[in-house]
């Protein structure tokens, strides 16, 4: 499915880049594990969210892969696959006002892409981070 970048129902994605931002998301201890990805969540209304960092975006995402995933080539591939899955799901399904960290697992590299996208969507649903279908432009999966 191709996503139109000028679609008003899509939300703008920002990036988590600093270690402190990743640790803040992990510190909330809200996560959901799927076979292809682990999703950690933090709402912006929680204390410590930097207003300057969140300016210009509706949602921020960080990607990580540890050495458990494999060598540097495997980790980079896992992060690329997570970015592609996030582009497929987050813009149309995720609720705004969140920081998300997507953690690659060993199976992230070999899992079929459709299953990886389904894992991410299911994790968002379990964490309560999905926009209502009417607000998302009727784009329910």
């Amino acid at each position: 499915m191709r996503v139109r970048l000028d679609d008003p129902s899509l939300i703008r994605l920002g990036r988590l880049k600093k270690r402190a931002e990743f640790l803040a998301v992990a510190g909330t201890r809200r996560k959901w594990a799927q076979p292809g990805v682990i999703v950690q969540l933090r709402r912006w209304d929680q204390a410590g969210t930097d207003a300057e960092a969140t300016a210009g975006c509706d949602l921020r995402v960080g990607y990580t892969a540890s050495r458990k995933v494999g060598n540097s080539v495997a980790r980079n591939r896992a992060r690329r696959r997570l970015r592609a899955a996030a582009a497929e799901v987050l813009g149309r399904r995720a609720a705004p006002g969140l920081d998300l960290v997507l953690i690659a697992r060993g199976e992230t590299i070999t899992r079929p892409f459709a299953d990886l996208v389904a894992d991410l969507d299911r994790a968002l649903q379990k964490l309560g981070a999905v926009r209502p279908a009417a607000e998302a432009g009727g784009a329910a999966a």
Side-chain angles (χ1 to χ4, degrees):
M1 176 180 147
R2 287 214 115 176
V3 177
R4 289 185 45 189
L5 297 177
D6 60 346
D7 187 354
S9 67
L10 295 178
I11 60 173
R12 297 168 305 205
L13 297 178
R15 291 282 303 270
L16 296 175
K17 296 180 182 177
K18 298 178 183 175
R19 183 173 191 269
E21 295 169 338
F22 282 83
L23 292 176
V25 175
T28 62
R29 305 182 64 86
R30 290 196 61 202
K31 70 178 182 178
W32 192 265
Q34 290 291 127
V37 64
I38 298 172
V39 178
Q40 294 178 331
L41 171 91
R42 177 179 183 235
R43 298 199 182 278
W44 286 357
D45 56 5
Q46 294 174 335
T49 303
D50 186 8
E52 289 180 21
T54 59
C57 62
D58 298 320
L59 173 81
R60 295 189 309 170
V61 185
Y63 308 93
T64 187
S66 71
R67 289 186 187 170
K68 291 178 185 178
V69 173
N71 62 14
S72 63
V73 174
R75 292 192 306 268
N76 289 334
R77 181 163 190 229
R79 280 191 295 267
R80 281 194 308 271
R81 294 192 85 210
L82 289 179
R83 277 194 295 271
E88 186 85 17
V89 175
L90 297 181
R92 61 183 170 80
R93 293 278 289 156
L98 302 173
D99 285 343
L100 297 170
V101 174
L102 305 182
I103 303 171
R105 301 187 83 181
E107 202 173 321
T108 303
I109 298 168
T110 58
R111 194 155 175 81
F113 187 72
D115 292 343
L116 190 61
V117 168
D119 287 346
L120 180 55
D121 191 44
R122 195 170 309 115
L124 288 176
Q125 289 175 3
K126 292 291 187 177
L127 289 169
V130 179
R131 287 190 286 176
E135 183 182 326

